């Protein structure tokens, strides 16, 4: 049986990268899928690929009102939201010494405030209907400390870890399960753009990087998506409040 048969799944930041992979996996597993993104041409193309009842909602998740209204649009279209994935993210660089207030605020807005208010709206729908639901927040292994050039990103994502656990505890008796996934270095279109923009990467950088990693590859979006679908589904059982490290580097391990 399909893991998400007839579930309504909203994937924020779902028009490309890991979010798009999650949308595809959810649709494959029988869900009615809605995705948000800022670029209509990208979002509409994905929805056309998914077919069926798939829905694209244009939204800038850095705006709390748009984060909430995206959930409202899904409820209007499908009558409810059963599962929420917060996959939108900003990874622009900044250190403790050179991060401006504007850059810091941008990271907080997309990486923490957006998920907060999307969860607020989605969980309110679940609780209001007195039905179970699930949320998965895509976080990062860098939230444990991270590189010096990721200071505002780490600050915001570490906050998302705390929010995930707090919300899971608050709504466990509502049977709303909320978990997070700390993903490591992942091969996405966005990562390619980041490597070229901030680190001077050239063609071939991905193969060179993969060769230096234990598993011989970066994290793969489709593999992450399968894990997220499991967490969204009833097959993950009673698990809630877990923030799972999904990476090939072992925390605390030293060479």
């Amino acid at each position: 049986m399909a893991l998400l048969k007839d579930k309504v799944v909203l994937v924020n930041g779902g028009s490309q990268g890991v979010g798009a992979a999650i949308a595809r996996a959810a649709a494959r597993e029988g869900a009615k899928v809605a995705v948000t993104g800022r670029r209509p041409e990208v979002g509409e193309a994905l929805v056309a690929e998914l077919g069926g009842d798939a829905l694209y909602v244009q939204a800038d998740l850095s705006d709390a009102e748009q984060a909430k209204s995206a959930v409202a649009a899904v409820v209007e279209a499908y009558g409810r939201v059963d599962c929420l994935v917060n996959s939108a993210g900003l990874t622009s660089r900044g250190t403790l010494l050179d991060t401006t207030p504007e850059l810091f605020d941008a990271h907080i807005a997309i990486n923490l405030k957006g998920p907060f208010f999307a969860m607020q709206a989605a969980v309110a729908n679940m609780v209001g209907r007195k039905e179970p639901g699930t949320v998965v927040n895509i976080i990062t292994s860098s939230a444990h400390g991270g590189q010096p050039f990721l200071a505002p990103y780490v600050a915001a994502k570490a906050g998302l870890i705390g929010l995930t656990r707090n919300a899971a505890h608050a709504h466990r008796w509502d049977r709303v399960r909320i978990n997070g996934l700390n993903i490591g270095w992942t091969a996405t279109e966005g990562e390619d753009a980041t490597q070229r923009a901030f680190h001077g990467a050239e063609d071939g950088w991905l193969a060179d990087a993969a060769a230096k990693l234990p598993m011989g590859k970066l994290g793969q979006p489709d593999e992450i998506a399968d894990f997220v679908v499991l967490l969204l589904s009833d097959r993950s059982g009673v698990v809630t409040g877990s923030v799972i490290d999904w990476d090939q580097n072992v925390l605390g391990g030293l060479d």
Side-chain angles (χ1 to χ4, degrees):
M1 182 179 294
L3 288 174
L4 296 175
K5 182 175 174 56
D6 297 327
K7 297 291 187 183
V8 176
V9 177
L10 168 59
V11 184
N12 280 329
S15 59
Q16 67 175 13
V18 170
I22 293 168
R24 293 184 182 102
R28 183 195 70 216
E29 293 297 332
K32 298 176 181 178
V33 178
V35 299
T36 66
R38 290 179 293 182
R39 295 182 295 161
E41 68 279 7
V42 178
E44 295 290 358
L46 176 63
V47 164
E49 174 193 332
L50 296 178
D53 293 329
L55 174 71
Y56 167 68
V57 179
Q58 184 176 3
D60 180 350
L61 278 303
S62 67
D63 182 333
E65 290 304 316
Q66 291 188 50
K68 293 190 290 184
S69 65
V71 175
V74 174
V75 173
E76 181 178 0
Y78 298 121
R80 67 189 194 278
V81 58
D82 300 305
C83 309
L84 170 68
V85 179
N86 284 310
S87 185
L90 177 68
T91 60
S92 53
R93 288 4 190 179
T95 70
L96 177 65
L97 299 183
D98 64 21
T99 294
T100 63
E102 292 77 16
L103 179 61
F104 184 85
D105 288 347
H107 275 273
I108 293 297
I110 295 177
N111 294 324
L112 182 56
K113 185 170 73 172
F116 186 105
F117 287 100
M119 288 169 62
Q120 181 185 81
V123 173
N125 178 262
M126 299 166 189
V127 172
R129 292 184 292 109
K130 298 185 182 336
E131 294 289 342
T134 51
V135 177
V136 174
N137 291 320
I138 304 301
I139 314 178
T140 173
S141 59
S142 293
H144 293 291
Q147 298 93 327
F149 54 77
L150 292 179
Y153 176 69
V154 169
K157 289 291 194 176
L160 186 53
I161 287 179
L163 172 61
T164 298
R165 291 180 173 140
N166 179 271
H169 177 72
H171 293 286
R172 66 198 192 284
W173 290 105
D174 297 312
R175 295 182 296 154
V176 176
R177 299 188 298 108
I178 303 172
N179 295 291
L181 202 60
N182 281 337
I183 63 174
W185 201 8
T186 304
T188 64
E189 309 98 305
E191 182 60 27
D192 181 73
T194 295
Q195 290 297 319
R196 294 175 187 275
F198 294 102
H199 302 288
E202 299 178 349
D203 292 348
W205 75 265
L206 182 59
D208 291 341
K212 298 173 184 176
L213 294 173
M215 306 303 163
K217 63 180 180 179
L218 276 67
Q220 301 297 301
D222 61 324
E223 296 171 354
I224 294 169
D226 287 345
F227 199 86
V228 171
V229 163
L230 177 66
L231 288 174
L232 292 174
S233 78
D234 292 341
R235 292 304 298 160
S236 55
V238 300
V239 174
T240 193
S242 291
V243 179
I244 301 162
D245 292 315
W246 199 98
D247 196 12
Q248 56 195 297
N249 293 312
V250 179
L251 289 173
L254 299 172
D255 292 325

